Amino acid sequence: MALKGLDIFKLTPKKNCKDCGFPTCLAFSMKVAQGAVEIGKCPHMSDESLAKLEEATAPLMKTIKIGKGDNEYELGGETVLFRHEKTFVNRNRFAVRFTDEMKDEEINEKIENIKSVQYERIGEDMKIEIACVEYVSNKDDYLDIIKKIKNELDVVFMLVCEDTDVLKEALELVKDENPIVYGANEENYEEMVNLVKDDKLPLGLKAKGLEELYSLVEKVQGLGYKELILGAQGESIKETFKNVVQIRRTALKEEDRKFGYPSVIFADELSKDNKFMEVALSSLFTVRYGSIVVLDDIDYAKGLPLFALRQNVYTDPQRPMTVEPDIYPINGADENSPVLVTVDFALTYFIVSGEIERSKVPCWMAIPDAGGYSVLTSWAAGKFGGSSIGNFIKESGIEEKTNSRKLVIPGKVAVLKGDIEDSLPDWEVVVGPDEAMHLPKFLKDLQEEAYA
Amino acid sequence: MAFKMSVQKAKGKVEEVQLGSGDNAITIGGEATLPFYDFDGETGSKAKLGMEILDIYPEEWVKPLKETYKDVAEDPAKWAKYVEDEFNPDFICLRLEGADPNGLDKSPEECAKVCKSVAEAINKPLVIAGTNNHEKDKEVFEKVAEAVDGYNCLFLSATEENYKGVGAAASMAYSHKVGAESSVDINLAKQLNVLLGQLGVDYGDIVMNVGNAAAGYGFEYLVSTIDRIRLALFNQNDKTLTMPIITPVSFETWTVKESMAPEEEVAEWGNREDRGISMEVSTAASILSVGSDAVVLRHPKSLETLKELVDALE
Ligand code: SF4
């Protein structure tokens, strides 16, 4: 991706006039290649050369903004094919599809579902971000649905429509919200570009197969338009999968920017009314390179795994997820419940809280700031020690919430028992099991002991 | 310029491992590409989908499943046969929950009897999963391996703690296959393979279990571990990472809150069975698309859905 000094030199006027402060154009070019000077320091570069240079130094996959304000998201912009190489930057987004052929009832139900499946998980919003509104045959109904959704939901619009007259009217309603316009094809692409270019709206391209899609991108780019999203949909699941993978690979591995755009997949179409198939496909395309995944509808059964999977896959591998340091009641903990302490690494928290829930024993979970690592790593890094745990217990206010003075620590850091007891003389420190899976039995025994 | 397919040739290939015997034997692995990347080359044998049963009554399972199995769940052999006839999975995974020292603590002899009765009752290959208590698993597997001699079963799993006992009993004394379980780290996976090799277990008799997680529960570590294992094989031909991978998905996905929480407690979440299936389907589809060659599932609907997915992608 990085341009060599000689490549840049070829684009300079080769006048050696020194206006840039360097003795020769070549010397200047070498510095630009190193990133030491801006190309703008040469006042004599032609527009054509500048355009070529911009093209050559642009990211392999373009970042496309969709939506506005609170509902603005970025898609694409990825630089690697595998998350351990660096990190995936822009998570895929989920859409629910509406069409003008749907009855009011169905539309209202979907709107309600989108509203009700919204929650927070480890500090991130879990929800449907996009309303995919497809034009089939009735323009008035189509416009009504757009109005209705605009009134009722905070989402990004994706207008699926190949009829430019209808689209023109639809855009009057929502063009200020930076909607996606999906439906530029071999026949209509010039008109479509004209419709979206003033507002720089993201334009979705649709073609039969990768060859045609590729040549369509070339044509649209030829018109100077580059705010694109690629329709990866094929005739079958297999073809769609191939398309998605090939689009991403062509951009990042072959370094061909023609396919350096986000892609959209209509998982609902491929799953033929089988909701679990839709979950399977949406998972597949979350792991492998989909940018927008369109669903038929949303409910918690679908949303819980899909949003959680996406959150995992798009986590920065260099920075683990953490939970907020705090005191958390589990199973209706009250003034008699014991306290369990563990680290703030989200995975540890989830596993431990899950096992406590399984035990059905009411407990308080105390989560100090431990740097977001596992128990042993935090301990080794000095972030999960006797005094930091002691201080947290004193400052967290847990001593007012429960009369129990039993503090359970992870078995892996049994060595901390003495230190913690020194800093918390009122407390009895109990060493818990090594593995979270043994917590239910441990807690039940602890509870029986308390009653005995 | 015209579009040209981006094709990547692999330097290494996943080993083919057979489970079961006779006409009903199955092959796991054999691919020289990432899953379903047939534009790159040989995708090997189709991903294998197994179904989980227990050696004890499935008290914790969702009601509809207990209902499905109500006439057979007291007898693992009948249960296995029922699953084979009704749902036709590629293999059956019998999980010896009753052997857990924190539970019923059944003896190795009892377990051996149960496993034998199951192996005799079915035609499909049998995968035998232990309790996760390394010491107990070793003792149990030593007896079970003898009892199911000739059935070419897969034992889940040998770990760093018990690989000597499990490896020796399962694969060397009785020519079964050994699952090598490591915890979500390419180097640990490699190390265990090497240790098993040094012990005398043939690399062709090992199936890796490189970790297990439900979607949302540190699943990204599993994704990256498998990504790295497969790239080490395909790009560098790492001979210590040629084994196929099995992931007992159902062991994890049915214990997380999303699948466990009763409807009374989280009314807005809706039907518990649906949530459980969805967690299982999502996790299994994801792990198969990263690189697992076989998964264990619990719900017939999950099996049906994944079968359809795998058929569509192969
Ligand atoms: S200002 Fe431009 S043309 Fe003049 S020497 Fe520098 S690079 Fe060359």
Side-chain angles (χ1 to χ4, degrees), chain A residues 12-13 15-20 22 24-25 28 41-44:
Chain A
T12 64
K15 300 205 298 191
N16 297 334
C17 69
K18 304 190 176 64
D19 288 352
C20 56
F22 291 87
T24 62
C25 295
F28 172 73
K41 287 276 180 212
C42 166
H44 311 296

Side-chain angles (χ1 to χ4, degrees), chain A residues 331 340 351-361 363 433 435-448, chain B residues 60 102 255 260:
Chain A
N331 301 330
L340 279 77
I351 291 173
V352 172
S353 64
E355 293 297 339
I356 300 177
E357 277 167 14
R358 217 153 64 85
S359 78
K360 305 209 162 66
V361 178
C363 294
E435 299 291 341
M437 59 182 268
H438 299 128
L439 269 173
K441 183 170 188 307
F442 174 86
L443 291 172
K444 278 178 204 151
D445 292 350
L446 194 74
Q447 192 179 35
E448 272 165 31
Chain B
E60 305 255 303
N102 288 320
T255 66
M260 292 284 289

Side-chain angles (χ1 to χ4, degrees), chain B residues 221-236:
Chain B
Y221 296 96
L222 192 52
V223 171
S224 286
T225 300
I226 298 184
D227 274 344
R228 294 180 63 189
I229 286 176
R230 282 301 149 83
L231 294 179
L233 175 61
F234 297 150
N235 296 346
Q236 281 116 41

Side-chain angles (χ1 to χ4, degrees), chain A residues 81-85 116 119 121-122 210-211 214-215 218 236-238 241-242 245-246 249-250 253-254 256 258-259 271 274-281 283-284 287-289 299-306 308-309 311-315 317 320-321 345 347 350-351 353-355 357-358 360 437-438 441, chain B residues 1-8 34-40 60 100-103 131-133 214-221 223-225 227-228 231 255 257-258 260 262 265 268-271 273-275 277-283 285-287 289-291 301 304-306 308-310 312-314:
Chain A
L81 287 169
F82 301 97
R83 60 181 296 286
H84 66 270
E85 295 173 329
S116 81
Y119 55 97
R121 187 178 199 271
I122 327 178
L210 289 170
E211 288 77 10
Y214 191 86
S215 82
E218 272 184 325
S236 63
I237 291 173
K238 190 181 169 73
F241 181 73
K242 179 191 78 185
V245 173
Q246 284 292 327
R249 244 205 205 169
T250 299
K253 185 167 161 276
E254 311 301 334
D256 182 345
K258 297 256 166 18
F259 274 172
S271 34
N274 176 352
K275 140 176 170 176
F276 296 114
M277 191 57 175
E278 203 181 26
V279 170
L281 288 169
S283 305
L284 174 75
V287 173
R288 289 288 187 241
Y289 313 141
D299 60 20
Y300 272 94
K302 281 190 207 172
L304 290 169
L306 289 181
L309 174 70
Q311 183 174 41
N312 273 178
V313 171
Y314 283 86
T315 297
M321 291 190 294
F345 179 37
L347 180 56
F350 270 119
I351 291 173
S353 64
E355 293 297 339
E357 277 167 14
R358 217 153 64 85
K360 305 209 162 66
M437 59 182 268
H438 299 128
K441 183 170 188 307
Chain B
M1 222 168 68
F3 170 73
K4 213 172 127 257
M5 284 283 257
S6 170
V7 175
Q8 182 142 15
L34 292 173
F36 319 125
Y37 281 33
D38 58 0
F39 37 82
D40 279 348
E60 305 255 303
D100 190 343
N102 288 320
T131 63
N132 263 336
N133 180 307
Y217 291 83
F219 190 74
E220 70 273 28
Y221 296 96
V223 171
S224 286
T225 300
D227 274 344
R228 294 180 63 189
L231 294 179
T255 66
K257 187 156 86 191
E258 287 81 349
M260 292 284 289
E265 276 172 34
E268 72 278 12
W269 280 12
N271 186 289
E273 186 184 22
D274 276 9
R275 281 185 266 128
I277 298 170
S278 195
M279 281 302 289
E280 179 162 72
V281 164
S282 173
T283 306
S286 301
I287 210 61
S289 60
V290 177
K301 186 74 198 173
E304 182 194 312
T305 308
L306 269 302
E308 217 180 294
L309 180 78
V310 168
L313 283 164
E314 292 290 334

